[in-house]
Amino acid sequence: VGMTVGCIEVLCLQPLNFWKNMIQQGQPLSFKPAKLYRGVGANCVNMGSCTMLQFAVGGTLKKAILNGSTRKLSILEEMGAGIGAGTVSALAATPLELIMIQQQRKGLSTIETVKSIAT
C-alpha cells in the first residue's frame, strides 16, 4: 500500500517538484512533459520506498513501545515512533533524491546519472 500511495503522489506532484528544483538552481522552467517527468522513476522509488518504510518501521516501533499492552500511545510515544520511522526512511531517500535532482538538471538516464555522481 505504501509503495502505491507514494507513486501516485509522485505522479501527481512531479511537475511542481521539477519547477521547484529548476527555480532553486536558476534553470529555465519548462512545460514539456518529457522534461517535467524527468527523474520520475527515481522519485517513485524514493517516495514509494519512504512511505513503505515509514509505515513498516512506525508500526514496528509502536508495537515495541506497547510491548503487548492494549493502551493508547502517549503523544511523546507517537512522536518518537514517527521520528524513528522518518529517520530510517531518510537513509533511503537521500541518495534517490540526489539522483532525481541530477536527472532533472542534466537530462541523463538513471545509469548515466549514477555514473556522473560516482565520478
Side-chain angles (χ1 to χ4, degrees):
V1 172
M3 187 71 156
T4 303
V5 170
C7 287
I8 291 169
E9 176 188 352
V10 166
L11 293 173
C12 293
L13 298 178
Q14 179 70 15
L16 297 176
N17 198 359
F18 172 81
W19 292 325
K20 172 195 70 103
N21 290 333
M22 293 302 100
I23 289 169
Q24 287 175 334
Q25 298 166 33
Q27 300 284 328
L29 299 180
S30 174
F31 290 91
K32 295 179 182 176
K35 283 194 172 188
L36 291 175
Y37 283 89
R38 193 183 290 164
V40 74
N43 203 7
C44 272
V45 171
N46 177 15
M47 191 58 67
S49 62
C50 284
T51 307
M52 180 178 63
L53 280 170
Q54 287 171 0
F55 273 104
V57 173
T60 301
L61 290 174
K62 287 177 184 181
K63 285 179 186 176
I65 292 167
L66 288 172
N67 196 25
S69 171
T70 57
R71 68 178 176 82
K72 281 184 77 173
L73 293 174
S74 71
I75 297 288
L76 288 176
E77 291 169 330
E78 285 277 358
M79 287 174 54
I83 290 168
T87 301
V88 170
S89 71
L91 296 172
T94 303
L96 292 167
E97 185 81 13
L98 176 62
I99 292 167
M100 187 248 335
I101 290 170
Q102 293 304 311
Q103 276 187 290
Q104 289 177 344
R105 282 187 68 214
K106 299 177 182 178
L108 303 174
S109 71
T110 303
I111 293 172
E112 291 171 326
T113 302
V114 171
K115 285 180 183 176
S116 76
I117 292 169
T119 56

